[in-house]
Amino acid sequence: MILRICNIVLIYEMAKKKINAPAPYRAHRERQRRRIQNAAKILFDQTGIDRVTMAEITVASGVQASTIYQYFSSKDEIVWAIARDVLRASISNSQVVTDAAPNALARIKRLFDNMADDLVKHQSDVRFMAQFDAMYARDWPTERLLTLESQIYPEGFRYFSALVRAGIKDGSLRSDLKPDLTMQAILNAVAGAQRRLASLGSKVEQEYGQPIDQLFRETLRIILLGLSAPGAPAIIPQLKAIKARKSATKRKTP
């Protein structure tokens, strides 16, 4: 009984020290965690998540095997930690770029532009998410991803459904769109195209003769054309030019 009480007291004291850990100690732990994640992310990108072992991550990160397990109990935990950081950064950037847009179509365009920028500037992150998707479909329950998404972005698809409703109301989006379905459909289509192009890398230009960025932005332009309401303010130069050409053609038609 006495030994049990002593153990409880010891556990309590250790937990209290962890909670009240000084800033330098917390900063050190964060650096260690980041060091492990960064090493793992590079290996995942070079070799593929399935082929990387915890032993290889340990060597690449330069930490002791006993240390790495203080932060992550398995490779899966590292994968999910990286996914959390990538999703959090993407959502944070999207919120910043869409906040000042004048209408729903403009907000969607800025959201797409942000995804196009990610494809160019953070291609390894996009490739990682392509690998994550494949593993999620095969190995992990839906509930785990839903929980992660709710922690990062509590509004979830409700925000996108509301965005479509706002666009129908402000006249920038087509009136026949289905708010609860439309954004889910186009986000899956856009994310799928983005992640496929990132996964193919330089082979895209070799196969199609078009740079990744231009091919992806053309995909986005076509989707925006499909979303845009007839007579909506042409916030996109390409849309404006196309509508002008169509009007000129109609005027010339006898």
Side-chain angles (χ1 to χ4, degrees):
M1 182 68 179
I2 294 174
L3 180 60
R4 183 181 176 188
I5 293 172
C6 289
N7 285 338
I8 292 172
V9 171
L10 179 60
I11 292 171
Y12 171 76
E13 289 299 326
M14 290 175 66
K16 187 168 68 173
K17 286 180 181 179
K18 188 175 181 180
I19 293 171
N20 298 324
Y25 176 72
R26 291 197 299 271
H28 167 73
R29 286 191 61 84
E30 181 57 30
R31 284 195 300 271
Q32 286 282 74
R33 176 182 293 274
R34 190 65 55 189
R35 184 176 178 181
I36 295 166
Q37 285 185 208
N38 289 343
K41 190 176 175 184
I42 292 171
L43 289 175
F44 294 158
D45 194 43
Q46 292 174 340
T47 311
I49 296 173
D50 280 340
R51 297 180 180 179
V52 176
T53 66
M54 282 291 278
E56 289 170 331
I57 295 172
T58 301
V59 172
S61 64
V63 301
Q64 297 293 324
S66 56
T67 301
I68 200 169
Y69 284 101
Q70 294 178 22
Y71 296 87
F72 302 101
S73 61
S74 66
K75 183 176 75 175
D76 278 8
E77 295 304 316
I78 299 177
V79 171
W80 279 86
I82 296 171
R84 178 198 61 217
D85 289 350
V86 171
L87 289 172
R88 182 177 290 158
S90 179
I91 289 171
S92 177
N93 290 339
S94 297
Q95 288 176 319
V96 170
V97 299
T98 60
D99 281 346
N103 57 38
L105 182 60
R107 289 200 291 276
I108 293 172
K109 180 184 182 298
R110 291 188 182 185
L111 174 67
F112 286 177
D113 285 343
N114 190 64
M115 295 180 74
D117 289 342
D118 279 345
L119 182 59
V120 174
K121 298 175 183 177
H122 308 291
Q123 200 167 118
S124 63
D125 286 350
V126 182
R127 282 195 299 268
F128 170 83
M129 290 308 301
Q131 291 192 70
F132 178 85
D133 281 349
M135 294 189 69
Y136 160 64
R138 185 190 66 200
D139 298 333
W140 299 312
T142 306
E143 291 75 18
R144 185 169 186 179
L145 182 59
L146 291 175
T147 299
L148 176 64
E149 289 176 342
S150 67
Q151 292 170 350
I152 297 173
Y153 190 48
E155 290 183 87
F157 277 112
R158 292 191 302 275
Y159 167 79
F160 299 113
S161 297
L163 185 57
V164 175
R165 290 189 180 90
I168 294 172
K169 186 176 181 180
D170 67 31
S172 64
L173 298 182
R174 296 166 56 106
S175 60
D176 60 345
L177 298 178
K178 299 177 180 179
D180 293 330
L181 179 63
T182 296
M183 283 305 292
Q184 293 186 35
I186 64 174
L187 283 174
N188 273 287
V190 171
Q194 181 203 44
R195 292 171 189 181
R196 182 177 188 276
L197 291 172
S199 297
L200 292 175
S202 61
K203 290 185 178 180
V204 170
E205 190 160 356
Q206 295 171 17
E207 184 177 353
Y208 300 108
Q210 301 289 341
I212 284 181
D213 179 52
Q214 289 185 24
L215 192 57
F216 186 57
R217 289 185 185 277
E218 179 66 6
T219 302
L220 301 179
R221 186 182 71 83
I222 292 168
I223 291 175
L224 287 166
L225 278 170
L227 292 171
S228 179
I235 59 157
I236 308 166
Q238 298 96 321
L239 292 181
K240 188 174 181 180
I242 289 169
K243 289 178 180 179
R245 286 198 297 270
K246 285 182 178 179
S247 297
T249 303
K250 286 180 181 179
R251 286 196 296 270
K252 290 179 181 178
T253 303

